[in-house]
Amino acid sequence: MRKFWLIFLLTLSVAVLAGLGGAWYMLWKPNVRYSAFGPAYLYIRTGADYGAVLDSLRKYELLHDEANFDRVARWQNYPARVQPGRYLLRPGLGNRALVEMLSRGEQDTVAFTLDAFKYKPQLARQVARQLETDSVGLRRLLQDNTDLQRRYQLDTTTVLTMFLPGPYRLLWNTSARQFLDSAAATHRRFWTPERRRQADSLGLSPTEVHVLASIVQRETAQKTDKPLIAGAYLNRLRRGMRLQADPTLLWAIGNFGVKRVLNKDKLVDSPYNTYKHKGLPPGPITSANRQTLDAVLKPARHDYVFFCARPDGSGFSDFAATYAEHKQNARRYQQRLDSLGIKR
């Protein structure tokens, strides 16, 4: 009898150990594959079901053992708790930890840089390349004048002033509406009380600062020239002169690749033609970055009202207080274009 009980206990211990080993294997053994190409991500689209999750795991070969993951997922009722998002799958993650992460929606954020853009479709395409956000839906919201005025106090023309180029960090499944709200929040944070005071001292609203900054940004990429150019344009506005800004003219004719502006271009019928219309154009011609906005808010103080690109191709400008000086600068630049064979 004693021998019987020893054999029974030994058999039971082996069975328990085997069960524990099986449970460990199923629940905690590392199941996420190592990728030599960098971090592995699982993308779950909004509205996707459990079957779509399994399809993605299988298609991209993210797991060592799909069957055990499926058993743990069903045991923890994950099929009824699928949440969309972009999930970082760390190598060595076991099934239980993986299922809990997915069930709780503990997704990774997407860090990306919003580049400067000139048109709404360019913005929509940039966002759609980084996020689940539908570009068509985003463009539709950007064209809804009533909604833009009610929610952001902007219209379909000035809404582009709301977007600051630079780094963003958002959830992958951010909707078009959520993206706009996030951009608006970033815009509000930029416009500190100090920056608003600076704009007031110039007699400009934040939207007008963005519009002017968009022109300055198209004029030069040189950091030291930006406050000088901003100061020249502000001098023109104070004196009631037309801005006569070539970048706004290029916007009006729809061709930013033009190197030489012709007199016939200045006849185009457009509110963006600042050769014909006084004051600022109705909206920005590109999305101005923080550096350019601050250059407008802190312009250089001088008497210049004219400037022209230097003929050396450096990207800097020559400035003038009188038209006679400006004509000399412009002539040197035009001669440089002629020598390079740049015609229209």
Side-chain angles (χ1 to χ4, degrees):
M1 180 63 71
R2 183 178 180 183
K3 184 177 180 180
F4 168 79
W5 283 109
L6 286 173
I7 294 172
F8 173 76
L9 290 173
L10 180 62
T11 303
L12 180 62
S13 298
V14 170
V16 170
L17 290 173
L20 291 174
W24 177 87
Y25 182 89
M26 184 180 297
L27 295 174
W28 292 290
K29 182 183 178 182
N31 196 21
V32 173
R33 289 180 180 273
Y34 170 78
S35 172
F37 302 101
Y41 290 97
L42 172 63
Y43 291 84
I44 304 176
R45 300 195 70 85
T46 300
D49 59 13
Y50 179 59
V53 175
L54 287 180
D55 287 343
S56 293
L57 290 169
R58 186 177 305 114
K59 179 179 179 180
Y60 298 105
E61 300 179 345
L62 297 173
L63 301 180
H64 293 290
D65 189 332
E66 297 167 13
N68 271 339
F69 169 81
D70 183 44
R71 292 188 186 96
V72 175
R74 293 182 185 279
W75 173 57
Q76 293 188 289
N77 197 32
Y78 172 61
R81 297 187 291 157
V82 173
Q83 297 195 52
R86 171 184 184 262
Y87 295 90
L88 173 62
L89 271 58
R90 297 184 301 277
L93 202 63
N95 288 322
R96 181 166 185 173
L98 175 57
V99 170
E100 288 179 349
M101 178 183 74
L102 297 176
S103 297
R104 290 195 293 262
E106 295 175 354
Q107 58 173 303
D108 193 37
T109 54
V110 178
F112 66 96
T113 298
L114 184 67
D115 297 324
F117 60 90
K118 297 184 287 292
Y119 308 106
K120 294 172 188 174
Q122 293 174 325
L123 168 65
R125 286 195 295 270
Q126 274 198 68
V127 175
R129 283 197 297 267
Q130 302 290 339
L131 307 174
E132 187 189 22
T133 303
D134 174 43
S135 63
V136 175
L138 180 54
R139 290 174 65 178
R140 188 180 299 118
L141 287 177
L142 292 171
Q143 289 300 113
D144 189 338
N145 202 52
T146 301
D147 180 72
L148 293 175
Q149 289 178 337
R150 176 183 61 82
R151 198 174 184 96
Y152 309 114
Q153 294 75 56
L154 297 168
D155 58 32
T156 54
T157 300
T158 58
V159 66
L160 296 187
T161 65
M162 191 171 75
F163 303 97
L164 291 173
Y168 284 77
R169 182 175 288 275
L170 297 167
L171 296 178
W172 175 74
N173 60 317
T174 295
S175 68
R177 169 64 69 197
Q178 289 169 334
F179 172 73
L180 291 184
D181 287 346
S182 177
T186 299
H187 183 268
R188 286 194 298 271
R189 287 192 295 272
F190 174 83
W191 280 101
T192 61
E194 175 59 23
R195 285 193 172 103
R196 289 185 178 276
R197 283 192 292 270
Q198 290 169 339
D200 287 342
S201 70
L202 299 172
L204 299 176
S205 68
T207 297
E208 289 171 329
V209 170
H210 277 273
V211 174
L212 181 54
S214 75
I215 301 172
V216 173
Q217 187 158 306
R218 290 297 306 176
E219 289 282 12
T220 185
Q222 299 296 343
K223 180 179 179 180
T224 55
D225 263 16
K226 289 182 179 183
L228 292 166
I229 291 175
Y233 278 133
L234 287 166
N235 285 342
R236 291 186 188 182
L237 290 173
R238 293 189 190 101
R239 299 182 189 185
M241 298 171 62
R242 292 182 175 86
L243 289 183
Q244 295 186 338
D246 286 354
T248 66
L249 200 58
L250 300 183
W251 169 276
I253 65 175
N255 189 350
F256 278 102
V258 170
K259 297 295 184 182
R260 301 187 80 148
V261 170
L262 304 180
N263 286 331
K264 67 177 183 180
D265 298 328
K266 300 173 185 178
L267 302 177
V268 65
D269 184 20
S270 168
Y272 287 85
N273 183 352
T274 55
Y275 278 85
K276 292 182 67 173
H277 303 286
K278 284 187 177 183
L280 292 166
I285 58 173
T286 191
S287 51
N289 59 36
R290 290 166 172 80
Q291 182 189 87
T292 311
L293 288 164
D294 282 334
V296 171
L297 291 170
K298 300 176 184 177
R301 306 292 179 177
H302 53 62
D303 295 326
Y304 301 136
V305 288
F306 300 103
F307 57 92
C308 177
R310 289 181 185 172
D312 59 7
S314 64
F316 289 94
S317 297
D318 288 320
F319 294 84
T322 67
Y323 184 61
E325 293 175 291
H326 175 63
K327 283 179 64 177
Q328 293 177 0
N329 294 335
R331 188 176 300 113
R332 286 195 295 269
Y333 179 67
Q334 290 160 4
Q335 289 171 347
R336 172 63 174 171
L337 294 181
D338 289 339
S339 71
L340 296 174
I342 297 175
K343 305 289 185 181
R344 278 284 303 277

